[in-house]
Amino acid sequence: MSAISETAPAPAASRAGGGIGQSMRDSLVIARRNLIRMARIPEMIIFGLIQPIMFVVLFSYVFGGSMMIGGSTSPAEYRNFLMAGIFAQTVTFATAGAGAGIADDMHKGLIDRFRSLPMARGAVLTGRTLADLVQTTLTLLVLAVVALLVGWRTHENIGKVLGGFALLLLLGYAFSWIGALIGLSVRTPEAATSGGLIWLFPVTFISNAFVPTENMASWLQPIAEWNPFSATVQACRVLFGNPGVSPSDAWPMVHPVWASLIWSLLILVVFRTLAVRKYRQAAV
């Protein structure tokens, strides 16, 4: 009995003294677990690909001939204008999946099992969001291939193009922490899915993703131009060499790359802090 009592505190000590390295190892273990789960349920990936592909096809061929971009109503011009918005919408809509996944783990009691293990408190959430980032990367890759097939083209060097995709993934990862907070705050996965989508529609549509902001009502233009989503879309258009660079003098539109980085990092820091705090409160 004495031997047991002497060795029992070891997990707690390991948890306390593991530091950043231990936290990263724990996060990668959780990420691996979620990736294996995704691989065993391929319909999760397939259904995640269908929606953005539908958006590409519908917006390109249904609205392509009626939109004026840079004084031209050419469908090809609109497709080049559109794709940055579709890419950004795709990475942000993954937020709903992140929230639903965490809510599902909470509902099934899996999170409680993780809490009993000697692991860093934030590792469960970090691992989940990292796994979602891998899935988002795969979705973005497939979507880029589809975009090329329907006529989307870039006009900058490969370094800038990859930089644009990096900004998209950073925005998606930052938004996934909003989904994590929502997933921890609701009782069911269904509520997490609804809560994860309802706020995304105004964020994505009150932006420069699908139409130029100068075509919006005057009172709506500043909202769209200072939207974090718009900054990333604008940055991607600049880095991809696509049309639609806004003549607006709003700072995020003049310096979209910096605006995208600042917004994404700010969202990441704020919502990761809130999500981890929520997780710790729920663990008490």
Side-chain angles (χ1 to χ4, degrees):
M1 292 295 293
S2 61
I4 295 176
S5 62
E6 289 173 2
T7 57
S14 174
R15 178 185 300 179
I20 296 176
Q22 182 64 40
S23 178
M24 286 302 302
R25 287 191 291 272
D26 293 342
S27 299
L28 291 175
V29 169
I30 298 297
R32 182 174 179 272
R33 172 257 172 191
N34 282 283
L35 289 173
I36 292 173
R37 179 170 176 265
M38 291 175 186
R40 291 175 177 173
I41 312 175
E43 54 266 30
M44 292 175 61
I45 299 175
I46 294 172
F47 291 148
L49 291 171
I50 291 175
Q51 179 179 322
I53 291 173
M54 287 178 60
F55 271 112
V56 171
V57 174
L58 289 174
F59 275 87
S60 296
Y61 293 104
V62 175
F63 300 109
S66 60
M67 295 290 185
M68 181 173 291
I69 304 298
S72 171
T73 57
S74 167
E77 286 294 305
Y78 183 65
R79 279 195 291 271
N80 284 331
F81 172 87
L82 171 70
M83 283 316 305
I86 295 291
F87 289 148
Q89 184 190 56
T90 299
V91 300
T92 54
F93 269 41
T95 299
I102 290 174
D104 186 51
D105 287 345
M106 292 279 290
H107 185 68
K108 292 178 178 178
L110 188 63
I111 298 296
D112 291 330
R113 298 179 191 176
F114 286 139
R115 287 172 184 156
S116 67
L117 299 176
M119 63 168 54
R121 288 298 189 186
V124 174
L125 302 181
T126 302
R128 174 73 207 200
T129 54
L130 287 175
D132 289 329
L133 180 62
V134 173
Q135 183 179 4
T136 300
T137 303
L138 176 62
T139 302
L140 203 57
L141 177 62
V142 174
L143 189 58
V145 173
V146 173
L148 290 171
L149 292 176
V150 300
W152 172 66
R153 296 292 182 268
T154 60
H155 304 283
E156 291 289 354
N157 61 63
I158 187 64
K160 288 187 177 181
V161 172
L162 292 177
F165 282 110
L167 287 178
L168 288 167
L169 291 175
L170 178 60
L171 179 72
Y173 185 66
F175 271 47
S176 69
W177 282 99
I178 302 178
L181 181 60
I182 293 172
L184 291 168
S185 304
V186 299
R187 297 182 180 180
T188 65
E190 293 80 7
T193 301
S194 299
L197 285 175
I198 193 169
W199 63 274
L200 280 173
F201 282 102
V203 168
T204 55
F205 282 95
I206 305 177
S207 72
N208 60 355
F210 307 112
V211 296
T213 55
E214 55 264 27
N215 293 347
M216 298 180 180
S218 58
W219 62 270
L220 202 58
Q221 289 181 20
I223 299 175
E225 290 164 352
W226 283 88
N227 184 346
F229 185 84
S230 293
T232 299
V233 172
Q234 185 74 356
C236 288
R237 288 188 181 130
V238 171
L239 294 173
F240 294 159
N242 289 157
V245 178
S246 174
S248 168
D249 59 356
W251 189 85
M253 298 295 100
V254 177
H255 307 282
V257 175
W258 283 108
S260 177
L261 281 171
I262 291 170
W263 274 121
S264 295
L265 292 175
L266 181 62
I267 292 169
L268 175 59
V269 170
V270 170
F271 282 94
R272 187 186 189 282
T273 302
L274 293 176
V276 173
R277 181 180 299 173
K278 183 72 175 179
Y279 179 86
R280 287 174 175 170
Q281 289 174 347
V284 175

